[in-house]
Amino acid sequence: MELQSYEGRCHCGAIVLTYRTALPGDRWSIRACQCTFCRLHDALSTSDPRGGLDFAIREPELLQRYRFGGRTADFLLCRRCGVYVGAQMSAGGGSFGIVNLHALREPPSGLPPAVAMSYEGESARERQERRMRRWTPVKQAA
Ligand SMILES: [Zn+2]
């Protein structure tokens, strides 16, 4: 199947991303992570381990990396407009990321309802292994 590209960005355009997936909208995985950070942002995460993700930071001084809890990933926010666009982590010589669905300019139609996810109780290693299985390979990291 051919990869489709979806552009995402923060509100002011300082942080841009390109998410590529061959999955039709009705097969996207939409996850409402129940951690306090994601709940505060009302974030919905999506990823495709067979897809690809690039971050393009137009104004590097505006990129805010936020780490919390086990400090295993960088959550990427814009310092000017405050938008949370997605997260990335490095592991096994590569990078893996998720996109905040709300940051995509034109998400596909027919998306399934979000599934509430709680990852409490995972060890740091289990968390990393889950992300390597489920998150999207990042070619151009932030
Ligand atoms: Zn911004």
Side-chain angles (χ1 to χ4, degrees), residues 22-79:
L23 295 171
D26 61 0
R27 291 187 50 212
W28 282 32
S29 166
I30 309 294
R31 303 182 295 274
C33 174
Q34 296 299 295
C35 85
T36 49
F37 177 88
C38 288
R39 290 175 63 146
L40 283 164
H41 284 276
D42 202 16
L44 294 177
S45 303
T46 192
S47 58
D48 176 3
R50 292 184 170 155
L53 179 58
D54 290 321
F55 291 102
I57 312 304
R58 299 257 165 88
E59 296 177 75
E61 69 278 12
L62 294 180
L63 174 65
Q64 179 70 52
R65 301 167 189 276
Y66 180 61
R67 289 187 166 194
F68 59 96
R71 302 185 171 273
T72 50
D74 284 345
F75 288 74
L76 307 174
L77 301 111
C78 177
R79 280 186 186 150

Side-chain angles (χ1 to χ4, degrees), residues 9-15 59 62 77-83 85:
R9 47 180 278 178
C10 69
H11 189 260
C12 73
I15 304 172
E59 296 177 75
L62 294 180
L77 301 111
C78 177
R79 280 186 186 150
R80 182 161 54 209
C81 69
V83 171
V85 296

Side-chain angles (χ1 to χ4, degrees), residues 105-126:
R105 301 184 87 177
E106 293 181 53
S109 56
L111 292 173
V115 178
M117 306 295 284
S118 175
Y119 304 111
E120 263 179 62
E122 271 183 336
S123 69
R125 187 190 180 93
E126 286 167 339

